[in-house]
Amino acid sequence: MSEFPIVQPAKLTQIQQRVRQQNVLPTAVKSRNLGSIIFGSDVAIAQTTLGNGNQAVISWTLTQNDKFELIGLDYITVYVGSVATTNILPGGSAIDETQWQVIGPFYDWENWSETNNQNDTFAGYQDFVTLYILNISAGSQDLIIYNKWKYVSPRENL
Amino acid sequence: MTRIIQQQIVPTQIKGRHLGEVIYIDNIQEGTVSVFNLPDATSVLVTYTLTNNFLEEVIGVNYLSVYLNSVDPTNRIPGGSAIDETDYILIIPQYSYSRWELVEFVPYKEIAQLFLQNASGGNIDLVFKNKWKYMSQRKIAKDV
């Protein structure tokens, strides 16, 4: 007689089956899957030149092309002259912030509203962010502006 | 139909089908404030609060615009063609740590603020528009 029990092969009914979409989900399913619904957009780079008294209104739009809802965070950095940490507006060691007026960035109700003719039916699949910059007295300067969205959505398609 | 157990393999489409039901858009809110020119005084601090009345967690972004006198793109601060931005000091920190701390950091609220000072724009009326987009387990979240 053997010291060890004979292991029986697993029955087919014990194998986990992929559930159907119609099945009722456990409450924890959403949180376990959240990691695959947070995405990042490509980096976008814009450049403009501002002299004293010149201003720029920069707007960014994130659109989910399949019209799935999304919520996005817009990461933005503005460089003066060239891309270097010393040239970041605000905070770079080579920057005098009193030479600039910066408002925002902020989620822009006006731009979001305009896409719907200011009706109260705003698109859930778009996000809008705006940044205002006025060159008060920095002289003629190139601004290089980087941005990249992080967003949560059912689908990645931008 | 029985609820499936957590160990079962779910189809990839489940994520998308369920996530669409947790991102919502709140109603438009509008307010008007008169702000006087210096030296009379002259600034306004606007607080926007989003509250889920079921006390369920919420995370939201606050869309806002400020207009001089009337809601028109030319009157928008900043960026409107009729606006001289140097007449105003506008600070938009968006999320307020201190206001959230006052409510003991409850996860069912979002609190954002906007500060605007009339530096030299004369006696003016400001119109504020805002609208939250948020994620929560249920749609019922009320601006208060």
Side-chain angles (χ1 to χ4, degrees):
Chain A
M1 183 175 178
S2 170
E3 294 183 43
F4 305 101
I6 299 171
V7 178
Q8 298 295 326
K11 295 178 180 177
L12 184 61
T13 55
Q14 294 174 317
I15 298 174
Q16 298 287 339
Q17 300 294 311
R18 184 178 293 277
V19 301
R20 294 177 299 160
Q21 292 181 21
Q22 292 78 11
N23 282 113
V24 182
L25 300 176
T27 55
V29 161
K30 282 190 292 188
S31 60
R32 290 189 177 197
N33 281 355
L34 274 181
S36 54
I37 48 100
I38 297 174
F39 305 106
S41 73
D42 293 334
V43 175
I45 305 170
Q47 185 160 349
T48 188
T49 302
L50 297 181
N52 287 345
N54 293 153
Q55 65 183 17
V57 181
I58 307 120
S59 295
W60 293 274
T61 302
L62 181 71
T63 300
Q64 211 289 340
N65 291 324
D66 294 324
K67 300 192 175 182
F68 282 92
E69 294 88 346
L70 59 75
I71 291 181
L73 306 177
D74 194 9
Y75 280 75
I76 297 166
T77 295
V78 179
Y79 300 93
V80 179
S82 62
V83 177
T85 54
T86 56
N87 294 336
I88 293 175
L89 174 67
S93 59
I95 300 299
D96 179 356
E97 285 80 5
T98 64
Q99 297 176 333
W100 302 89
Q101 182 182 8
V102 178
I103 300 174
F106 58 94
Y107 289 93
D108 191 332
W109 186 92
E110 169 72 32
N111 282 0
W112 196 21
S113 172
E114 280 183 348
T115 62
N116 298 280
N117 299 315
Q118 302 205 344
N119 293 322
D120 192 12
T121 52
F122 289 60
Y125 58 89
Q126 290 187 305
D127 267 326
F128 300 87
V129 166
T130 292
L131 172 69
Y132 171 86
I133 301 174
L134 170 66
N135 179 352
I136 300 171
S137 58
S140 181
Q141 296 285 355
D142 293 330
L143 297 182
I144 304 106
I145 303 154
Y146 279 68
N147 97 292
K148 181 179 177 74
W149 292 86
K150 181 193 281 186
Y151 63 98
V152 56
S153 182
R155 304 278 176 91
E156 189 173 15
N157 183 22
L158 297 181
Chain B
M1 186 175 290
T2 57
R3 182 180 295 278
I4 66 170
I5 60 175
Q6 294 184 16
Q7 289 76 16
Q8 285 184 275
I9 304 164
V10 297
T12 56
Q13 290 87 345
I14 278 180
K15 290 179 299 182
R17 292 189 177 199
H18 281 246
L19 194 65
E21 300 169 9
V22 294
I23 296 176
Y24 303 107
I25 299 170
D26 199 30
N27 297 324
I28 293 174
Q29 306 294 320
E30 180 175 332
T32 301
V33 176
S34 295
V35 182
F36 301 106
N37 196 8
L38 290 171
D40 296 320
T42 83
S43 64
V44 59
L45 181 64
V46 183
T47 301
Y48 308 91
T49 303
L50 181 75
T51 301
N52 184 305
N53 292 327
F54 289 115
L55 310 187
E56 293 170 341
E57 295 86 348
V58 63
I59 185 167
V61 295
N62 185 31
Y63 276 82
L64 57 90
S65 283
V66 184
Y67 300 90
L68 176 65
N69 296 324
S70 62
V71 178
D72 187 300
T74 62
N75 295 336
R76 187 167 68 135
I77 307 172
S81 59
I83 299 299
D84 181 354
E85 284 79 6
T86 60
D87 287 341
Y88 309 96
I89 297 171
L90 181 54
I91 302 174
I92 309 174
Q94 295 278 22
Y95 300 98
S96 171
Y97 173 91
S98 66
R99 294 304 297 258
W100 196 26
E101 183 183 33
L102 286 177
V103 295
E104 299 177 340
F105 304 112
V106 291
Y108 57 87
K109 283 181 181 286
E110 291 283 27
I111 307 172
Q113 286 192 316
L114 174 151
F115 172 87
L116 190 146
Q117 183 174 38
N118 181 2
S120 57
N123 295 339
I124 58 174
D125 289 330
L126 299 173
V127 184
F128 297 87
K129 288 274 196 178
N130 92 291
K131 190 176 183 69
W132 289 91
K133 181 192 278 188
Y134 63 94
M135 178 183 288
S136 190
Q137 297 178 63
R138 285 194 242 183
K139 185 176 184 180
I140 298 178
K142 183 181 179 183
D143 213 1
V144 294

